[in-house]
Amino acid sequence: MSASMRVLVRRATRLSDRNIQLSAAAARASARSSSCRCFSDAAEDRSTHFGFETVPETEKAKRVYKVFENVAQRYDIMNDAMSLGIHRVWKDMLLHAMHPQPGVRLLDVAGGTGDISFRFLEYVHSQQERQKRRAARSMQTPSWQDISNNYSTEDEDGPLESRAVVCDINKEMLKVGKQKADSMGISTGLSWVVGDAEELPFDDDQFDIYTIAFGIRNVTHIDQALQEALRVLKPGGRFMCLEFSKVTNPVLARLYDAYSFQMIPVLGEVIAGDWKSYQYLVESIRKFPDQEEFTEMIEDAGFYCVQHKNLTGGVVALHSGFKL
Amino acid sequence: MWRQHLAKPSLRLYQRQCALTSKAVRVHQLHSTSTGFTDRCYDDLYPGHIHTTPIQKALLAVGSGVAALQNPYRHDMVAVLGETTGHLALINLRDRMRNDPEGNAILTERPRIRLSTLDLSKMASLPDGSFGREYLRFLEDNHVTPDSRADVKFVDNEELAYIMQRYREVHDLLHTLLGMPTNMLGEVAVKWFEAAQTGLPMCALGAVLGPLRLNARRLQSLFTSLGPWALQNGRRSRCILSIFYERRWEQSVEDLRQELNIEPPPITLSATNKKSTKKYE
């Protein structure tokens, strides 16, 4: 299929949740007219999925907001309980794939409670330490010239300071993230911004790395979020996305389904007192496109060298692309 | 291609379009193979109802039990424990209510005890010793409100869910009838009564584990006088859910107790200003 045809088909699939009742006689004519209507800006007519439910697009964002507002306080505990702590491994693997060097600027969208940003700062910090140690080792017997050079290079730590910006649409999640940062004693190099992934409050060409971990499936218009990601990245910047995806192995898929639908809402009820939010969570995972389709969406947005890597047998996929 | 299929109803439309984009097929297949949650039914039996499989109910029962034990102030966990374990007891209660004319009236009319349905000013004007006045006094003294009861979520039968809800709402009225305040000892005494009356496993569990949090003096009063009184009266009393309390505000507490076959409490516990207390010999 040509690229334009693919876009059409994909749009139609996403709009297919509408209840279109057409008589067979008027099929052809109304098909043409409704397809025109599909592509015009009739936002009130458009509906999308909220888990397995169908809701108007305008309502989805509100409902997602409410879900995360409810779960914010117990978000981290629930993550540990649901994934048995494996989510930490996934996030560490994202950081290792990212391999950030001191001095880069990170935009962590849907960063919520700050897990990725904290890891980023730690990683960059340890990289910096390693560089310093390497530099120290290479000059075991410094001459006076070297020592005086060292004094002058110490204020060059300024430009080498890495900065992470945590951007999230939900104020409760950011609040929890800020509290975590305070308790961990992290203050420099971290900022917290309220923003919508579909319309980021940043200028063009600002960031070296854009990450979105377990957030993009909650966005109503994923293509818009991808375009925004392209816009705010510097040329050469990297887009990285961690998201739940399709399990390829059929046996593991069955086990994963059983665990998701039987266990996770129960955990949500017992630990967070909220069954429905976690029911939404497992359903939204099923509604998200699979690895290949998402790769195509990232390519369509204009990224190059798009790759994906499956983690834990496809439970989570790490997608990466570059703005060139 | 996909245009022809716009004529069909929406669900099959979605399925057909999935079939065309091969990626989406796997999404749909994964739905079908998941444990019967493809078309997650939103046809709830009552507002707030959440469908659960037997496995989920078992997990909920265990999880909520552990959570309630760890933190007894998690009333929602106690509620969930009651709902997931109380099926047989609820059926038993329903049969008892059906066999009683007043209970049957309740099952048909489905009254709810809420601040919005109570006429507080009228109840305040009732004479002391009347059921309505004493109930209002109980609410004020103990700083509780009838609106704090959690809604039933996990009972898969609309009538049984109502009975569970009624049981929760009647709990405060029971405090008034028995003359027990809302401190730990009073709650345990009421739980013993309820366990003997209803047979709900949650009540039994609360009755067994509640005393663990009492000090020695209170334990003694529980085991020597309050406890046996609560158990005996729980067994011999008429079904407390079968009483149309909303029509009996004017009736005196004493009268109501006699009708229900409940003896007055042997000890007066603080936080209630019971004028009608007789020492149980």
Side-chain angles (χ1 to χ4, degrees):
Chain A
M1 265 193 262
S2 68
S4 54
M5 213 41 222
R6 243 189 312 158
V7 170
L8 284 178
V9 173
R10 208 170 297 126
R11 283 231 188 100
T13 325
R14 263 182 260 134
L15 291 166
S16 67
D17 289 323
R18 290 173 58 178
N19 289 318
I20 307 172
Q21 302 284 328
L22 296 167
S23 66
R28 223 4 98 87
S30 23
R32 220 170 294 126
S33 62
S34 67
S35 64
C36 292
R37 222 160 33 116
C38 282
F39 302 136
S40 72
D41 259 53
E44 323 81 53
D45 291 347
R46 288 214 194 111
S47 60
T48 179
H49 50 81
F50 179 78
F52 290 167
E53 239 186 289
T54 304
V55 298
E57 277 188 353
T58 41
E59 214 192 288
K60 173 161 179 172
K62 270 184 258 171
R63 290 185 70 167
V64 170
Y65 192 95
K66 217 182 282 179
V67 163
F68 282 96
E69 200 177 40
N70 288 342
V71 307
Q73 291 296 325
R74 303 291 187 116
Y75 185 74
D76 292 320
I77 303 178
M78 279 301 299
N79 279 349
D80 277 330
M82 289 189 290
S83 68
L84 306 171
I86 303 176
H87 75 105
R88 297 162 187 248
V89 175
W90 293 330
K91 288 167 182 164
D92 288 340
M93 289 171 83
L94 170 66
L95 258 299
H96 274 95
M98 196 194 295
H99 196 45
Q101 297 303 308
V104 305
R105 287 193 73 192
L106 169 77
L107 176 63
D108 181 13
V109 177
T113 53
D115 277 345
I116 302 293
S117 303
F118 296 146
R119 282 172 168 78
F120 169 81
L121 290 172
E122 249 183 76
Y123 195 100
V124 145
H125 192 69
S126 71
Q127 290 289 93
Q128 212 156 17
E129 294 289 304
R130 198 196 288 180
Q131 279 178 359
K132 277 201 198 134
R133 267 182 279 134
R134 210 180 295 145
R137 251 183 283 133
S138 67
M139 30 190 308
Q140 290 298 316
T141 50
S143 66
W144 282 113
Q145 189 66 34
D146 290 332
I147 293 173
S148 69
N149 281 346
N150 260 356
Y151 284 135
S152 55
T153 53
E154 256 170 39
D155 23 305
E156 275 172 31
D157 270 347
L160 276 188
E161 190 198 308
S162 326
R163 268 162 305 175
V165 178
V166 183
C167 178
D168 200 292
I169 199 173
N170 195 300
K171 297 188 188 111
E172 281 304 311
M173 295 288 282
L174 285 174
K175 214 194 293 184
V176 173
K178 266 197 224 166
Q179 284 169 354
K180 262 169 71 177
D182 289 338
S183 69
M184 284 165 73
I186 299 175
S187 47
T188 53
L190 194 55
S191 24
W192 306 85
V193 177
V194 176
D196 184 350
E198 296 179 14
E199 211 178 317
L200 289 171
F202 304 107
D203 272 334
D204 301 359
D205 305 334
Q206 290 290 310
F207 297 97
D208 300 291
I209 307 174
Y210 172 110
T211 55
I212 182 164
F214 304 115
I216 203 162
R217 75 177 185 284
N218 298 307
V219 171
T220 315
H221 302 105
I222 297 177
D223 47 352
Q224 278 185 32
L226 293 172
Q227 279 170 22
E228 278 292 281
L230 190 72
R231 182 180 69 80
V232 300
L233 275 173
K234 289 184 197 160
R238 192 174 190 187
F239 166 87
M240 302 194 78
C241 171
L242 252 191
E243 192 51 80
F244 290 107
S245 202
K246 297 294 170 277
V247 178
T248 39
N249 181 309
V251 174
L252 194 59
R254 269 190 184 268
L255 287 173
Y256 178 54
D257 275 357
Y259 177 75
S260 294
F261 284 101
Q262 302 294 338
M263 193 66 193
I264 287 182
V266 172
L267 281 173
E269 178 69 29
V270 172
I271 299 178
D274 192 346
W275 176 287
K276 295 221 157 133
S277 293
Y278 287 91
Q279 184 76 38
Y280 159 72
L281 185 146
V282 296
E283 290 179 359
S284 66
I285 293 175
R286 301 299 175 296
K287 297 299 273 190
F288 189 70
D290 69 3
Q291 287 89 327
E292 279 82 17
E293 199 186 333
F294 190 50
T295 299
E296 282 171 27
M297 288 170 78
I298 301 174
E299 279 174 347
D300 284 343
F303 289 96
Y304 290 89
C305 309
V306 182
Q307 289 180 334
H308 71 260
K309 191 164 85 155
N310 278 347
L311 308 176
T312 320
V315 173
V316 169
L318 172 54
H319 282 81
S320 152
F322 288 90
K323 172 177 178 173
L324 298 175
Chain B
M1 206 176 41
W2 54 270
R3 288 183 191 175
Q4 296 165 321
H5 301 294
L6 281 173
K8 308 260 166 61
S10 57
L11 186 59
R12 274 188 293 150
L13 164 69
Y14 178 70
Q15 290 177 350
R16 291 284 168 88
Q17 291 187 341
C18 280
L20 287 166
T21 53
S22 58
K23 322 302 172 199
V25 165
R26 270 191 270 145
V27 172
H28 187 67
Q29 278 178 354
L30 206 55
H31 288 174
S32 319
T33 53
S34 71
T35 46
F37 276 87
T38 352
D39 39 353
R40 192 168 86 79
C41 26
Y42 284 91
D43 52 359
D44 307 331
L45 298 169
Y46 49 88
H49 181 215
I50 297 176
H51 283 270
T52 41
T53 62
I55 306 176
Q56 285 177 320
K57 286 206 177 67
L59 289 169
L60 272 173
V62 171
S64 61
V66 169
L69 281 175
Q70 274 190 331
N71 184 358
Y73 289 101
R74 282 207 62 183
H75 300 294
D76 58 333
M77 287 293 101
V78 177
V80 168
L81 182 63
E83 288 169 31
T84 48
T85 54
H87 187 70
L88 292 173
L90 284 174
I91 291 180
N92 183 287
L93 277 171
R94 181 185 61 185
D95 294 338
R96 282 166 73 185
M97 283 174 83
R98 279 193 185 154
N99 290 334
D100 182 296
E102 207 173 342
N104 215 357
I106 294 178
L107 282 178
T108 340
E109 291 179 43
R110 305 281 178 93
R112 295 291 297 263
I113 302 174
R114 288 246 171 82
L115 278 177
S116 51
T117 58
L118 298 175
D119 190 352
L120 292 175
S121 51
K122 182 155 169 279
M123 283 166 68
S125 66
L126 290 170
D128 283 341
S130 65
F131 184 54
R133 186 73 192 88
E134 295 306 317
Y135 173 56
L136 208 57
R137 187 167 292 146
F138 165 80
L139 289 179
E140 286 162 2
D141 287 348
N142 293 277
H143 310 293
V144 289
T145 154
D147 288 352
S148 56
R149 300 292 149 193
D151 285 334
V152 177
K153 286 189 280 207
F154 300 113
V155 178
D156 288 338
N157 179 305
E158 198 255 325
E159 197 172 22
L160 295 180
Y162 172 73
I163 295 176
M164 190 75 201
Q165 190 74 47
R166 180 90 184 150
Y167 154 73
R168 282 186 196 157
E169 291 174 359
V170 161
H171 179 81
D172 284 341
L173 296 167
L174 210 52
H175 271 279
T176 315
L177 264 182
L178 298 177
M180 292 288 118
T182 52
N183 57 25
M184 201 63 208
L185 183 57
E187 291 287 355
V188 173
V190 175
K191 269 284 166 291
W192 282 38
F193 181 94
E194 283 177 345
Q197 252 277 298
T198 62
L200 281 165
M202 178 261 289
C203 298
L205 198 63
V208 165
L209 297 171
L212 294 175
R213 294 180 162 261
L214 291 172
N215 62 24
R217 183 178 61 87
R218 291 188 169 174
L219 262 182
Q220 199 190 23
S221 78
L222 177 70
F223 281 119
T224 50
S225 55
L226 271 185
W229 165 77
L231 283 177
Q232 277 174 10
N233 284 279
R235 265 193 289 260
R236 65 185 225 184
S237 151
R238 212 178 121 194
C239 181
I240 41 134
L241 291 183
S242 296
I243 308 298
F244 216 122
Y245 296 100
E246 289 88 338
R247 296 190 182 145
R248 290 167 179 266
W249 296 128
E250 292 91 11
Q251 198 174 1
S252 83
V253 177
E254 288 301 318
D255 200 35
L256 196 51
R257 277 186 189 150
Q258 272 183 0
E259 198 180 327
L260 289 174
N261 215 1
I262 298 176
E263 294 158 347
I267 321 170
T268 320
L269 292 180
S270 59
T272 43
N273 279 331
K274 296 295 296 163
K275 287 204 287 187
S276 47
T277 48
K278 292 192 202 125
K279 272 279 179 221
Y280 174 63
E281 302 296 0

